Amino acid sequence: INSSECDPWMLAMGNMLLGEPTWANQCLEVLLLLLFAALPAVTLPRAAIKSWLKGGNSFFVEGIKRDSPIGFHLHELPSELSYDFGATSMLVGLQHLLGAVLCLPQVTGISREDGATALARHAALMQVAFGLAQLAFTWRLRLEERRKMPWQVLASVACFHALNFLICIPMNVHYPSQHAYFVLVLGLHLSGFGAYFISPLTWSLDDAYLPNLPLLWILSLIDGLISLAVRGPFFIWSLAVLKRTWYMDGAWLFFLLGLIGTFLMVPVQVSLATSSFLRCHALLGRAQIKED
C-alpha cells in the first residue's frame, strides 16, 4: 500500500482523534463508538454482572422495588428482567464515569487547549453512543417481554438520553468550544453515573446487614451530592446560558431542540433526585440495623 492510499485514512483518523467539528467526523465517531465500544461493552460483560447480581439472592430485587424512582415502574419488573436491566445499567454507568473524567480538564479550567476541548467533545459523543446502545437493549427486552416490561421503563431511558440525542452532535459541530455546553455534558455524565451505577450498586447490598452500612452511607451520600449539585445548579446554569446563547445568535433550531430535550429530561432528573434524597435520608437516618 503506497503512501497516497494511506494518507486519507491517516487524515480521517487524525481528525477523529482531535474531535474535528464537522458533521461527517462527528457522525462517523458516533457510529464507530456504537459498533466497537458501546454495543460490545453493554453486551459482552453483561452475563457476568447479571450472574453477580443474582448471587446476592433477593437483595437486588428487593432494592429495586424499594427505591424505584417515581414514574420509572422498575418495581414492576420480574426478577429476571430486573437483573438484565441492572447489569446493563451498571455498564452504561461506568461509561458515564469515564465521560465525566474526560470533561474535567476543560470544565475545571485546568486546560482549555484544543486537546482538552476535544476530550470533552469525545465525552459528549460517548453519551450518544452508549445511550443508543442502552435504548436498543431496553427496546429489545420490551419487544421480547412485552407483557412483563412496563413501557415506562423504556420511556425513562429514552427521556434520560433525549437531550444527548438531540443536541450533542450539532453542538459539537457549531459550538465546539462552548463552556456551558461542556458543563452540561459533565452534569449529564455525573447524573448518569449516579442513576445507572451507584443506584444499582446500592440495590445489590443487603441494607439489613450491619457491615454493609458504611458503604451504603458513602454511596447514598455521593448520589445525594450529585442530585444536590448536578441535577440542580449544574443543569439550571448550563441550560440557561445555552438557551440565552441560542436566542442571541438566532439559532432557533438549537433553541427548539434544546427545549424539547429539556422538557423530556427534566421529569426524569427530578424523579432521580427525589429517589436519591429519599434513599439518603432513609439510610443516614436509620438508628439501628439488625445484623444477620
Side-chain angles (χ1 to χ4, degrees):
I1 301 175
N2 59 45
S3 59
S4 63
E5 292 175 328
C6 292
D7 287 344
W9 290 102
M10 293 174 64
L11 180 61
M13 290 301 297
N15 287 339
M16 190 169 66
L17 289 173
L18 292 173
E20 191 70 21
T22 63
W23 279 100
N25 187 68
Q26 298 298 302
C27 291
L28 176 61
E29 183 172 346
V30 167
L31 180 62
L32 293 177
L33 283 171
L34 178 64
L35 295 178
F36 299 107
L39 288 175
V42 168
T43 304
L44 298 179
R46 183 173 57 84
I49 296 179
K50 181 179 176 181
S51 177
W52 173 73
L53 292 175
K54 280 186 174 181
N57 299 313
S58 63
F59 301 142
F60 183 80
V61 175
E62 290 173 1
I64 204 171
K65 292 183 184 298
R66 181 187 64 243
D67 294 336
S68 174
I70 299 169
F72 283 30
H73 289 250
L74 298 180
H75 59 281
E76 296 180 13
L77 289 172
S79 297
E80 196 66 21
L81 286 182
S82 294
Y83 296 128
D84 275 318
F85 184 81
T88 304
S89 295
M90 294 185 78
L91 291 165
V92 173
L94 284 173
Q95 169 272 149
H96 281 300
L97 177 61
L98 175 60
V101 171
L102 293 180
C103 289
L104 285 177
Q106 209 284 340
V107 172
T108 59
I110 294 174
S111 174
R112 296 285 172 81
E113 300 296 327
D114 290 345
T117 304
L119 286 177
R121 288 199 293 269
H122 290 317
L125 298 184
M126 283 171 57
Q127 289 190 121
V128 177
F130 277 81
L132 287 171
Q134 185 183 20
L135 186 61
F137 181 78
T138 310
W139 177 258
R140 184 174 69 82
L141 286 180
R142 166 73 179 165
L143 292 177
E144 293 175 353
E145 305 287 349
R146 185 177 297 274
R147 296 181 180 179
K148 299 178 181 179
M149 173 178 278
W151 64 266
Q152 291 92 339
V153 176
L154 178 64
S156 70
V157 174
C159 290
F160 182 90
H161 295 290
L163 195 59
N164 303 330
F165 295 155
L166 289 172
I167 73 167
C168 280
I169 294 178
M171 285 296 295
N172 275 12
V173 174
H174 294 284
Y175 292 89
S177 304
Q178 230 289 349
H179 181 65
Y181 165 58
F182 295 131
V183 173
L184 177 63
V185 172
L186 173 62
L188 288 169
H189 271 304
L190 289 174
S191 179
F193 176 63
Y196 292 127
F197 185 81
I198 293 179
S199 289
L201 187 57
T202 60
W203 298 336
S204 70
L205 298 171
D206 181 7
D207 64 343
Y209 183 50
L210 184 60
N212 287 340
L213 186 56
L215 180 56
L216 284 167
W217 280 348
I218 292 170
L219 292 173
S220 63
L221 277 173
I222 294 173
D223 198 26
L225 289 173
I226 289 174
S227 290
L228 187 64
V230 173
R231 294 170 183 145
F234 262 56
F235 285 158
I236 293 171
W237 179 82
S238 58
L239 287 169
V241 171
L242 286 175
K243 285 178 171 54
R244 181 181 181 277
T245 300
W246 296 331
Y247 176 81
M248 297 296 291
D249 291 350
W252 299 114
L253 182 57
F254 277 93
F255 193 92
L256 178 62
L257 292 175
L259 197 63
I260 294 171
T262 303
F263 178 78
L264 293 172
M265 180 194 71
V266 165
V268 174
Q269 298 295 341
V270 170
S271 178
L272 290 171
T274 303
S275 174
S276 172
F277 290 140
L278 290 174
R279 179 172 60 240
C280 190
H281 179 267
L283 288 172
L284 296 179
R286 182 173 296 174
Q288 292 182 345
I289 296 290
K290 181 179 178 181
E291 184 174 3
D292 288 345

